[in-house]
Amino acid sequence: MSTTVTLRFFAAARAATGLDELACVSAREPTIGELVDGVLPASGKDPDELARVLGRCAFLVDGVSTQDRSRVVPAGAVVDVMPPFAGG
């Protein structure tokens, strides 16, 4: 059975990925780190910039804030990828 999790990208994360959101399908419940590590930039986007931006992000898992990339994400969850705002 597969698990689907939706990643939603905001601000610099949206610019770096070239995506608003991405549905991720996995054979098991993934960690935030596994999800983020699997994100590839859209055509024409710089992979180094993507890695830099995603490395600084915090996350909201179904509205609950975390920076713990080892957190397991349940099936059907929505993970908001939130870079620091105002240059933070």
Side-chain angles (χ1 to χ4, degrees):
M1 185 155 113
S2 65
T3 296
T4 301
V5 172
T6 301
L7 294 177
R8 297 190 308 184
F9 302 97
F10 294 88
R14 179 181 291 158
T17 61
L19 303 169
D20 290 328
E21 70 178 41
L22 176 66
C24 301
V25 180
S26 177
R28 59 176 177 72
E29 291 182 336
T31 65
I32 291 172
E34 291 168 337
L35 290 168
V36 171
D37 290 346
V39 173
L40 298 174
S43 179
K45 297 294 180 178
D46 180 3
D48 293 331
E49 174 67 7
L50 173 63
R52 186 184 70 74
V53 169
L54 293 181
R56 296 176 37 218
C57 287
F59 308 93
L60 293 177
V61 179
D62 288 336
V64 178
S65 179
T66 185
Q67 290 185 316
D68 180 5
R69 290 174 181 252
S70 66
R71 179 177 173 172
V72 174
V73 180
V78 174
V79 179
D80 293 330
V81 181
M82 310 290 290
F85 291 97

